[in-house]
Amino acid sequence: MTGFLFAFVASFLASLVVETWPPSLASFRAPARALAFRLALHAVLFLAAFSLSWRPWHAAFVTVTVCGLFGAGSAIKRRILGEPLIFSDFALVRNAIRHPRLYYAERLAEPRALAGFAALIAATAAWFAVEPSILPSGGAILALGPAVLTALLLVALLSAPVARAAEPLVPAAPDPATEEARLGLGASMLAHWLVWRRKQRPSQQARDAILSAPAVTPARAGPPLIVAIQCESFVDLASRGLPGPALPGYRQLTERSLAWGRCEVPAEGAYTMRSEFAFLTGLPRPALGLDAYDPYLTAEAYADASLARRYAAAGRRTVFMHPYDRRFFDRDRLMPALGFERFVDREAFAGAARFGPYVADAAVAEAVAAEIKAARAPTFLFVVTMENHGPWGPGRLAGLPDPAQQYARHLENADRMIADVARALSNRPGGGLLCVYGDHAPARTLHPEMPDRRCSDYVLWDSRAASIGGGERQDTSIEALSRLLLAQS
C-alpha cells in the first residue's frame, strides 16, 4: 500500500509539471479548488490505468505520459491556432477518425509515428517483466475493486454538487487561454466541461438577442435571391501588406458594395463551425458562453435565432450547400433543425472538378449559378466552400510545393468564384444580395507575421444597386454582419 500511495502522489506532482509545455511549476500556483479538481481527475486516470495492470509505477508512468501528451498537444495547438486544448475538442475526435487529413491525423500512420507506437508497446512489455503485479489472491471481486472505484469517482464528478463547486472557477465570459494559465490545463478543461454540462440554454442574454434581431421583409417584397458564401480561409493578404494575389473580383465588388471590410471571427486557423454558427444566428459570443467553443454541440437550443428559420418563415426556400461529407459537425442533423429544407452535399459534386484534394471553387460557382438560374421562388442559399482547407504542403498542388504559394493560388480561385457568382446574380432578372466572408485566417504555419489574425474579409453586395459606391472600409464582427444582411433583406 505504501508503494501504491507513493506512486500516486509522485505521479500527481509530476503530471502537474508536464501538463504545461515546456514543463513548469505554473500549475502548482492554481487555486486550492482547482487543484482539488485536478487531483480528482488524476485519481480517475491513475485508477483506470492501475485497474488494467495492478502495477502502481506503471500506472504512474501511464498517467504522467497522458498528461504530458495533452500538455504537448496543447502547446502545439497554441502555436498553430492561438489557443490551448479545450474540453469541446474531444467531440472532434470522431471527425479526425473519419477525415484524418483535415486534422493532420494521417501523420499517425507515418513511419516515425508507427516506430513510436512500437517502442511504447515494447517498453510496456519490458516494464511488465520488471515490475510485478500486486494483485492479491482472492478472485475477481478484488480485481474489480480499482475499476469500481474509478466508476464511482466518475459518477461523483458528473453530479450536480460537483458542477456547482466548479462554477466559481469559470467566469461569466470564459476564456480557455486565461483559465489554462490560472488553473492549469487539466483543471480548466474539467471545470469548463462540468459547467458546460449544466448550462441553461438559451441564456437570457441569448433570448434577448434573438428578440432584438432585425425584422425580415416578406420574401415577395425583398430580393428574389439571397446568397451567402462562407469562403474557406479567405483573407485579403495584399490589404494587410503581405505578398498575395490582387483579388480583382472581390475588389470590384467592394467598390460597388453596401459594406465591406475586415470581419472579426471567433477563431483562427480552424473551427469553421464557430464562424458558421455565428453568421447563421447572429448571436454574440457572450450570449453563448462556453457553447461558443463548439456551438454545434448545442445548436438546436438556439435554432430560433437561425437566419434560415427567419427566411423560411418569411416565405423563402432555404438551401445549404457544402461540397463535403454532410455528417461533418453533424450538419446532416443540424441544418434541417436550423431551418434549411434542402442540403446539397458532396454527392451532388460526385463528378465535379477538384483543385488540390477538395472540390474546386470553380465547381461550387457553377453549382451556385445553376441554383440562381433555376430558382422559381425567393431563395436563401448558404454556401460553405472547401477548396482552400488545409493542410497545405508538398504534394498538394503539382509543381507548387510552397504552402504559401498554394494558399495564394486557392485565394485566386476563390476570387474567381466570387466574381462568377456575382455575374450570375447580375444576369438573373430581379437580381439579389450576395454576402461573402472568410470563416477564419489560415493556421499560423502560414504567414505567421499576419496582423489581425482573428479577422477575415467580407463584402455585402446588391446586384440591384450596382451603382452604389463602396465607400470606406467598415470593419465589423461576423455576428453584426449577419444582422446587417437581415436588415438589407
Side-chain angles (χ1 to χ4, degrees), residues 24-348:
S24 76
L25 302 178
S27 296
F28 287 93
R29 296 189 289 269
R33 188 185 298 247
L35 288 173
F37 275 99
R38 182 63 177 79
L39 180 62
L41 178 61
H42 185 82
V44 170
L45 295 174
F46 184 91
L47 285 171
F50 179 74
S51 67
L52 297 176
S53 69
W54 278 84
R55 291 169 169 83
W57 287 107
H58 181 261
F61 171 76
V62 168
T63 307
V64 173
T65 299
V66 168
C67 294
L69 289 173
F70 271 92
S74 187
I76 292 171
K77 184 187 172 190
R78 194 184 302 106
R79 176 173 58 82
I80 296 175
L81 303 179
E83 70 178 39
L85 285 176
I86 53 180
F87 73 99
S88 58
D89 287 334
F90 286 100
L92 301 177
V93 172
R94 56 178 174 155
N95 286 330
I97 294 172
R98 286 176 178 170
H99 309 283
R101 181 184 180 85
L102 298 186
Y103 292 90
Y104 301 82
E106 60 185 6
R107 295 181 181 178
L108 295 176
E110 293 179 353
R112 182 185 301 178
L114 294 176
F117 294 142
L120 184 61
I121 294 172
T124 300
W127 194 306
F128 275 34
V130 173
E131 182 184 10
S133 169
I134 63 171
L135 176 65
S137 58
I141 295 179
L142 283 176
L144 291 175
V148 171
L149 187 54
T150 303
L152 291 175
L153 276 172
L154 283 173
V155 171
L157 281 175
L158 296 176
S159 66
V162 172
R164 286 194 294 268
E167 289 176 358
L169 296 173
V170 181
D175 176 66
T178 302
E179 269 80 83
E180 184 207 23
R182 184 171 61 92
L183 308 176
L185 178 62
S188 64
M189 292 179 70
L190 179 59
H192 283 160
W193 178 61
L194 293 174
V195 172
W196 173 82
R197 291 183 69 250
R198 297 283 176 171
K199 176 180 168 60
Q200 178 187 356
R201 299 181 180 90
S203 65
Q204 185 59 52
Q205 191 175 359
R207 288 195 290 268
D208 292 342
I210 292 171
L211 293 175
S212 67
V216 180
T217 303
R220 295 295 176 184
L225 288 153
I226 301 171
V227 179
I229 301 177
Q230 179 173 280
C231 194
E232 177 63 46
S233 302
F234 182 75
V235 171
D236 184 356
L237 294 175
S239 72
R240 290 164 168 77
L242 299 172
L247 305 181
Y250 169 74
R251 295 198 188 283
Q252 186 176 17
L253 289 190
T254 65
E255 293 169 0
R256 299 179 289 120
S257 66
L258 300 175
W260 69 278
R262 302 272 170 88
C263 182
E264 183 184 357
V265 292
E268 58 174 285
Y271 295 108
T272 293
M273 71 290 203
R274 295 183 189 173
S275 297
E276 189 173 305
F277 182 84
F279 182 81
L280 285 177
T281 64
L283 292 175
R285 293 190 71 193
L288 299 174
L290 288 167
D291 286 345
Y293 293 101
D294 190 343
Y296 279 177
L297 294 178
T298 55
E300 288 162 303
Y302 303 97
D304 287 343
S306 170
L307 284 178
R309 278 202 176 190
R310 295 180 187 275
Y311 283 135
R316 289 187 182 275
R317 294 177 59 247
T318 53
V319 182
F320 185 93
M321 180 183 292
H322 181 46
Y324 202 62
D325 188 345
R326 66 169 53 219
R327 299 171 299 169
F328 206 74
F329 297 142
D330 288 329
R331 287 189 180 107
D332 58 333
R333 176 176 58 84
L334 294 177
M335 290 307 121
L338 292 177
F340 288 97
E341 64 180 76
R342 189 158 69 91
F343 194 139
V344 181
D345 68 348
R346 67 179 177 184
E347 293 182 4

